[in-house]
Amino acid sequence: MTLKPASMALAVALALSGCTLAPSYEQPPSPVPDQFREGADATQVTLPGWRDFFAEPELQQLIQTALANNRDLRLAMLDVEELRAQYRIQRADLFPDIGLNGTGTRQRVPGDLSNTGESQVQSQYGANVGISAYELDLFGRVRSLKDAALQNYLASEEAQRSAHITLVSEVANAYLTLVADRENLRISEETMEAYRSSLDLTQRRFDLGVGSELELRQAQTALETARANRARFARLVAQDRNALATLVGAPLPPLPNDNLEASGLVELSDVPSGLSSNVLLARPDIIRAEHLLRAANANIGAARAAFFPSISLTGTFGTSSAELDGLFESGSRSWSFSPSISLPIFTGGRNRASLDVAEVRRDQSVATYEQTIQTAFQEVSDALVARETLLEQEIAQQALVDATRRSLELSQQRYELGADDYLAVLDAQRSLLTARQELVSITLSKLANQITLYRALGGGWLEDQATVINTAPEQEDSDTSGTQG
């Protein structure tokens, strides 16, 4: 990089005005459509705090315990503390280090080295206040590094928010899975009791000589199949409790709920389909990606400053004396001032390569930022589409359960009257079991989709307040934007 006198003068002028050489920051344009779906415009979306979104007391207590005990969230909080300290360290480089030094030396000088030709003992004592190698940040290198450290710290805070939101949604999903499997366990137990009653009826008919052994064995087969199905769901319930306990980070209390349709589990009904995609800008992962982009932008300023001279100062002021008791007497004052300047002439292309690396990393950060927005857009779009279809599917499945239950009643009546064989009853019982379990699965998917939409819109961070997301947020001022002062 060739430095012309004009460019040197410009750099000095910028430095003296307290600016950096970082390029002007511009937020990348959004790589997604303006709206998720065609429809009415939405000016804002109000997301309830997680305590209002998950109104069931059992689930609230589980989430609260997880937030206090979960190790992944604890690590995210410690990462924030670490980067906060790193920022404070980097910011401290803007100020000189002032220290107090006390020295004392006694040495014997042999005669052939002394001025008098005789051996002698020399003493020197000193007490000084000074600064050591303080860099005058004329070209903003230190300020650029400080700005990058600040943005990394802010990015870590957003990472903590993401971890918080993810943990809330994971606990809720794990709890709903447990409730769903408990409901399936209850259904399998009810089915097993129905099969046991059918076996008793078939046994009586066989004993009276009006039923065949084939019907009896079919009833026994159905009962044992139901018993195996019950054992499978009992195992799933135990495994679900283990998974939930790991997320919560503490022993679980009794959780008797076995009904996914219980009121207050999940409710998010005020999100319009024609939502503006600008709501994504409030997601913590997107805010984090932009902070990392600003940090990469600031690092370019530090890389550019490496092409210019570096000036550092070392100085002391104090007192010196050959005798300890004369250290603070009149005339013992001493001082030193040692400025130094370093001008890169030939570095083997190191500075040019460092700047190239900084610019490439900035471009990588831009790509990551755009990719994060695209992923978020897909998550919200998929959740909005699934919300409508899952509700319709749940209604249809409930109608199927009602029809299948009625079909079973008719089949049992026909069998008892001798108008049909037992195989029709078994088919109706299996159909009802399958329909009821499928209804539980669809209901679980519907509730999980509500949680996905809530998380995808950035909800779950505030506990007791609603989160209002504007679709056209004002641009945030940043001390790393452009040529900075």
Side-chain angles (χ1 to χ4, degrees), residues 447-468:
L447 296 177
N449 180 71
Q450 294 280 352
I451 297 173
T452 297
L453 180 59
Y454 182 65
R455 178 190 58 79
L457 291 173
W461 170 243
L462 298 179
E463 295 186 8
D464 303 312
Q465 304 177 25
T467 304
V468 179

Side-chain angles (χ1 to χ4, degrees), residues 365-431:
S365 297
V366 171
T368 300
Y369 175 77
E370 294 173 342
Q371 185 182 47
T372 304
I373 291 180
Q374 290 174 333
T375 301
F377 184 87
Q378 180 181 356
E379 289 178 355
V380 176
S381 298
D382 290 346
L384 288 172
V385 171
R387 180 179 62 175
E388 300 174 1
T389 57
L390 284 171
L391 180 59
E392 181 181 354
Q393 188 178 1
E394 184 184 37
I395 294 173
Q397 190 65 30
Q398 181 62 61
L400 177 62
V401 169
D402 296 339
T404 306
R405 182 177 286 111
R406 180 56 181 162
S407 176
L408 174 59
E409 294 173 355
L410 294 175
S411 297
Q412 288 175 331
Q413 292 173 3
R414 288 176 59 83
Y415 171 69
E416 293 171 0
L417 294 174
D420 211 341
D421 59 17
Y422 188 66
L423 185 60
V425 177
L426 288 178
D427 287 340
Q429 287 176 328
R430 283 193 291 264
S431 297

Side-chain angles (χ1 to χ4, degrees), residues 232-402:
R232 180 170 69 90
F233 281 109
R235 181 179 68 254
L236 290 177
V237 167
Q239 292 174 342
D240 293 341
R241 284 186 63 89
N242 293 338
L244 184 57
T246 300
L247 283 173
V248 171
L252 296 181
L255 301 172
N257 187 17
D258 61 357
N259 181 16
L260 279 179
E261 295 294 342
S263 61
L265 272 179
V266 177
E267 184 61 37
L268 184 63
S269 59
D270 58 347
V271 178
S273 298
L275 195 62
S276 169
S277 61
N278 281 342
V279 298
L280 299 176
L281 299 180
R283 277 179 48 138
D285 57 341
I286 294 178
I287 299 175
R288 174 180 180 271
E290 185 168 8
H291 281 308
L292 293 177
L293 174 56
R294 290 177 181 271
N297 201 67
N299 283 328
I300 294 177
R304 287 178 175 178
F307 289 94
F308 294 90
S310 173
I311 300 175
S312 61
L313 302 177
T314 299
T316 62
F317 178 83
T319 177
S320 299
S321 174
E323 300 294 338
L324 183 59
D325 55 3
L327 192 59
F328 297 100
E329 292 183 355
S330 176
S332 64
R333 184 178 61 181
S334 65
W335 59 268
S336 68
F337 179 64
S338 302
S340 65
I341 182 169
S342 175
L343 176 63
I345 297 177
F346 177 75
T347 61
R350 181 182 294 108
N351 288 343
R352 177 71 258 179
S354 296
L355 179 58
D356 291 342
V357 168
E359 291 176 343
V360 169
R361 287 177 177 171
R362 188 268 314 274
D363 295 339
Q364 290 174 334
S365 297
V366 171
T368 300
Y369 175 77
E370 294 173 342
Q371 185 182 47
T372 304
I373 291 180
Q374 290 174 333
T375 301
F377 184 87
Q378 180 181 356
E379 289 178 355
V380 176
S381 298
D382 290 346
L384 288 172
V385 171
R387 180 179 62 175
E388 300 174 1
T389 57
L390 284 171
L391 180 59
E392 181 181 354
Q393 188 178 1
E394 184 184 37
I395 294 173
Q397 190 65 30
Q398 181 62 61
L400 177 62
V401 169
D402 296 339

Side-chain angles (χ1 to χ4, degrees), residues 20 22-28 143-155 286-302 358 361-366 369 474-482 484:
T20 72
S24 177
Y25 174 79
E26 295 181 2
Q27 186 182 52
R143 282 190 297 279
S144 292
L145 293 175
K146 183 268 295 182
D147 292 339
L150 173 61
Q151 295 301 324
N152 285 324
Y153 158 61
L154 295 176
I286 294 178
I287 299 175
R288 174 180 180 271
E290 185 168 8
H291 281 308
L292 293 177
L293 174 56
R294 290 177 181 271
N297 201 67
N299 283 328
I300 294 177
R361 287 177 177 171
R362 188 268 314 274
D363 295 339
Q364 290 174 334
S365 297
V366 171
Y369 175 77
E474 297 180 359
Q475 293 295 326
E476 179 185 2
D477 294 334
S478 172
D479 60 353
T480 60
S481 299
Q484 307 150 26

Side-chain angles (χ1 to χ4, degrees), residues 47-70:
L47 299 177
W50 65 260
R51 290 186 181 277
D52 295 325
F53 183 65
F54 304 110
E56 189 184 51
E58 281 184 5
L59 182 52
Q60 283 188 359
Q61 184 59 44
L62 290 173
I63 293 175
Q64 185 64 50
T65 305
L67 293 176
N69 296 318
N70 185 267

